[in-house]
Amino acid sequence: MNRSNEAKLAQLAAYTLEMRAKAIREGAADPAVEDLTAVVKSRFDGDMDAATRVLIEELTRNVQAAKNAYRAARERRQQAWNSPPARKMRARRDALLSEAERCQNRAKAVEAEHKTKVDALKAQGFSAGEIAGVLERSETANAEELKQRHGGLLAEADAVWRAMEQHVAAVLAEGSAP
């Protein structure tokens, strides 16, 4: 169904509810109330108190069952996320992220040191060609290598996270199988 049809159906539903409310305000009987009255008469011999008690008991049971199901699902998720393989993957991911942060910080420090040296040499009157001859290319290459290593570590950490999510999904799927 496309959005245009959905919008038209929503408008029609709103209009229907509006007309129904208007009819009830003007004294017409609501068909839903009539249906409910028929159920109360047939199932409970017209005893509205008995119908209310049974309805409250059913709702209470349904709410408790939903709470129990939610609690059990939450416990299964926690067990899956805290399983030994998931803990190992989480530790690996944390180590990768820590190493990536160290690489990034070291790359920034190397770049800052290089910039400081270049600025000092410029201040002393050296030309760009002379500065390039004095400073080693390895400093900038080292910073680039560190940046590449940082990116690689982040990609690996992301892959570990995805593997951990897949592991948890598999564990949960096993638990929900009949």
Side-chain angles (χ1 to χ4, degrees):
M1 186 179 306
N2 63 31
R3 294 189 192 278
S4 174
N5 287 343
E6 288 176 5
K8 288 177 184 175
L9 284 174
Q11 287 175 338
L12 180 60
Y15 176 76
T16 302
L17 288 174
E18 205 175 287
M19 291 294 104
R20 188 172 169 191
K22 181 179 176 185
I24 291 169
R25 281 192 300 271
E26 292 174 356
D30 185 355
V33 172
E34 290 175 4
D35 293 344
L36 179 61
T37 303
V39 168
V40 169
K41 282 182 183 176
S42 68
R43 250 181 96 189
F44 302 101
D45 294 327
D47 186 356
M48 195 62 167
D49 290 334
T52 303
R53 275 192 310 277
V54 168
L55 180 60
I56 289 173
E57 289 170 4
E58 282 184 35
L59 286 174
T60 302
R61 275 193 305 274
N62 289 339
V63 167
Q64 190 59 47
K67 284 180 181 180
N68 292 342
Y70 173 78
R71 188 177 305 113
R74 187 182 71 229
E75 288 172 4
R76 280 193 312 273
R77 282 191 307 273
Q78 286 175 337
Q79 288 172 352
W81 280 105
N82 292 319
S83 68
R87 282 197 311 264
K88 286 178 184 175
M89 286 185 245
R90 191 172 23 261
R92 173 75 177 135
R93 179 178 178 266
D94 291 346
L96 288 167
L97 291 175
S98 179
E99 179 66 22
E101 185 177 359
R102 283 192 297 275
C103 283
Q104 183 180 35
N105 291 339
R106 183 66 189 134
K108 287 178 182 178
V110 167
E111 286 177 338
E113 289 170 13
H114 183 73
K115 184 176 180 336
T116 302
K117 289 178 184 177
V118 169
D119 290 345
L121 290 172
K122 281 183 182 177
Q124 293 174 8
F126 287 97
S127 69
E130 293 171 323
I131 292 173
V134 172
L135 294 180
E136 296 179 18
R137 295 263 183 231
S138 65
E139 288 180 4
T140 54
N142 189 19
E144 287 303 315
E145 288 173 11
L146 287 168
K147 286 180 183 178
Q148 288 176 354
R149 173 91 174 118
H150 173 257
L153 289 167
L154 290 179
E156 190 176 346
D158 185 53
V160 169
W161 178 259
R162 284 193 308 272
M164 188 168 49
E165 287 178 327
Q166 290 171 355
H167 165 75
V168 168
V171 168
L172 291 175
E174 288 173 8
S176 64

